[in-house]
Amino acid sequence: MESPVEIRVPDIGDFADVPVIEVLVGPGSVVRVEDPLVTLETDKATMEVPSPVEGTIVSVSVTVGDTVSQGTVIAVAESAAADSAADSAAVKAAPVEASVEPAPAPAVVAEAVEVTEPATAGSDDGGLRATPLVRRLARELDVDLTTVTGSGPKGRVTKQDLLTHYDRGVAPATPGSAAGAGIPALPEVDFAKFGPVRRVPLSRIKRISGPHLHRSWLNVPHVTHADEADITDLDAYRRELDEAARADGYRVTLLSFLLKAAAATLRQYPEVNSSLVGEELVLKDYVHIGVAVDTPDGLVVPVVRDVDRKGILELSRELADLSARARDGRLTATDLQGATFTISSLGGIGGTHFTPIVNAPEVAILGVVRSKTAPVWNGETFVPRLMLPLCLSYDHRVVDGALAARFTAHLAHLAGDVRRLVL
């Protein structure tokens, strides 16, 4: 006998009041286990909430624009296996970053909730139709929503409308504000008059990360310090470990050693493992390091936790798992939270130096490019050594030049003598 089952938002990490950007089912929809029901969007990732049961949707409790948290009821379904499925209703939500937009939700559940929250602080929206997510993003970008033309139902302003409007260089609502910084708007250009053009929408990852990167760049006074590490001996040892690891189905890369060296250096210089909150530094007694992973839709930054407590082989296995899940779009919200420091490695692609953007509220990020063999003077003669360029970008309000130089030199010293990583 079929009985109703409440489907609730599962564990989505520390996120709360997360906007619903898509409702993918309606009353009468037949779903299987793991079929997506709704799509949520945080400032770090887009997540689909899957169905924990197989059955028929009786009712949907949320609409586009609603905000939900862990435990919020999103739908009721009739399932013959309700008794056993109820215990598994908290299946983890997996972020999905697709290169194409999902099919539109049924019209009966896709209409946005009307809200009375003003479009921007101190303004009267005059009946403006926009979801809380779009209104919040408009405040962050300092855009007056009344100047944006909406393409949604009944003229509703969608997130893409806002981003398109912003990317065209529309002046911010409040000149001189933190978001706009008084920077003159870029002029609109009709590129088609110079030759054929194509318009391709940004991937979801880039649309989500763009405002965060912009905010970090405008609010954090960036400085980049460059150094080199002699990794000749480290790389020889890495190759030995990698040869053995291949038989077990994973690889040992330079990144595992950099994680370990960075964790030890962060312990040595705790100010770099902190966040600036008002006029106080929050010093963190844990070391969680974000690792930028290249995916078909853009960069994502999963977090390796408690790096200082793990060995090289354990870190290598974890990196392989995180990288695979990132490329497949199977990272969870928890995978993307809690980093105290970030490493962005371009070593597999190339380059000599670059300036990575600090991932605020972190205060530093390490950029790594391709190593190269170079002549190094040993006191008597030049010898070939494998040198790895290191690029440390940091928040100059927290980290000064001397601390940055000491931090990078210590990191290079550890990378140059692999035996010190076990001390």
Side-chain angles (χ1 to χ4, degrees), residues 237 260 264 312 414 417-423:
Y237 180 50
K260 194 67 178 176
I312 296 297
L414 292 178
D417 187 352
V418 69
R419 296 170 299 176
R420 296 184 179 273
L421 291 179
V422 301
L423 297 178

Side-chain angles (χ1 to χ4, degrees), residues 189-256:
V189 178
D190 181 9
F191 299 104
K193 70 181 182 181
F194 304 113
V197 299
R198 291 176 294 117
R199 291 184 177 272
V200 180
L202 288 175
S203 68
R204 273 185 173 163
I205 290 179
K206 292 181 179 179
R207 294 203 309 265
I208 295 170
S209 63
H212 175 72
L213 292 171
H214 190 198
R215 184 167 60 245
S216 293
W217 184 254
L218 290 176
N219 285 283
V220 174
H222 281 69
V223 180
T224 301
H225 178 82
D227 205 337
E228 287 185 320
D230 184 340
I231 61 167
T232 309
D233 298 335
L234 183 154
D235 191 59
Y237 180 50
R238 180 197 68 78
R239 292 175 184 273
E240 292 180 16
L241 294 179
D242 185 51
E243 188 68 27
R246 291 186 185 190
D248 293 330
Y250 69 99
R251 303 294 302 274
V252 176
T253 66
L254 175 62
L255 188 54
S256 300

Side-chain angles (χ1 to χ4, degrees), residues 93-393:
V96 174
E97 302 293 350
S99 57
V100 295
E101 294 297 321
V108 69
V109 294
E111 180 63 30
V113 172
E114 297 305 319
V115 295
T116 58
E117 178 185 356
T120 53
S123 66
D124 182 2
D125 64 15
L128 178 73
R129 302 171 68 88
T131 66
L133 171 66
V134 172
R135 293 171 186 268
R136 184 185 68 185
L137 182 57
R139 289 194 297 272
E140 293 176 353
L141 299 179
D142 209 12
V143 172
D144 183 354
L145 275 178
T146 61
T147 66
V148 181
T149 301
S151 63
K154 300 181 182 179
R156 175 168 58 88
V157 177
T158 66
K159 184 178 179 181
Q160 188 58 50
D161 294 333
L162 173 61
L163 293 174
T164 299
H165 181 87
Y166 182 77
D167 290 341
R168 286 175 178 170
V170 178
T174 308
S177 66
I183 300 173
L186 294 173
E188 290 192 38
V189 178
D190 181 9
F191 299 104
K193 70 181 182 181
F194 304 113
V197 299
R198 291 176 294 117
R199 291 184 177 272
V200 180
L202 288 175
S203 68
R204 273 185 173 163
I205 290 179
K206 292 181 179 179
R207 294 203 309 265
I208 295 170
S209 63
H212 175 72
L213 292 171
H214 190 198
R215 184 167 60 245
S216 293
W217 184 254
L218 290 176
N219 285 283
V220 174
H222 281 69
V223 180
T224 301
H225 178 82
D227 205 337
E228 287 185 320
D230 184 340
I231 61 167
T232 309
D233 298 335
L234 183 154
D235 191 59
Y237 180 50
R238 180 197 68 78
R239 292 175 184 273
E240 292 180 16
L241 294 179
D242 185 51
E243 188 68 27
R246 291 186 185 190
D248 293 330
Y250 69 99
R251 303 294 302 274
V252 176
T253 66
L254 175 62
L255 188 54
S256 300
F257 289 90
L258 289 176
L259 280 168
K260 194 67 178 176
T265 308
L266 289 167
R267 286 296 193 191
Q268 181 72 22
Y269 299 98
E271 297 95 331
V272 187
N273 199 52
S274 71
S275 289
L276 180 62
V277 179
E279 296 184 352
E280 291 184 332
L281 272 185
V282 179
L283 300 172
K284 300 158 189 175
D285 293 329
Y286 52 89
V287 179
H288 302 338
I289 299 181
V291 178
V293 176
D294 187 23
T295 75
D297 290 324
L299 290 177
V300 294
V301 187
V303 179
V304 182
R305 300 181 182 279
D306 299 314
V307 176
D308 53 328
R309 301 179 183 178
K310 297 174 180 176
I312 296 297
L313 298 184
E314 184 178 1
L315 290 172
S316 297
R317 294 188 187 95
E318 190 167 342
L319 280 174
D321 174 66
L322 285 173
S323 297
R325 289 195 287 121
R327 286 188 290 269
D328 295 341
R330 294 185 291 108
L331 292 174
T332 67
T334 304
D335 292 327
L336 302 167
Q337 293 179 304
T340 62
F341 185 76
T342 296
I343 297 178
S344 179
S345 174
L346 301 177
I349 302 174
T352 57
H353 294 84
F354 73 109
T355 299
I357 297 178
V358 174
N359 189 19
E362 299 162 33
V363 299
I365 179 173
L366 179 67
V368 182
V369 293
R370 180 182 294 170
S371 58
K372 63 179 180 180
T373 301
V376 177
W377 182 256
N378 66 3
E380 297 179 356
T381 183
F382 284 101
V383 293
R385 305 294 291 179
L386 187 62
M387 305 302 294
L388 177 69
L390 306 173
C391 311
L392 182 76
S393 288

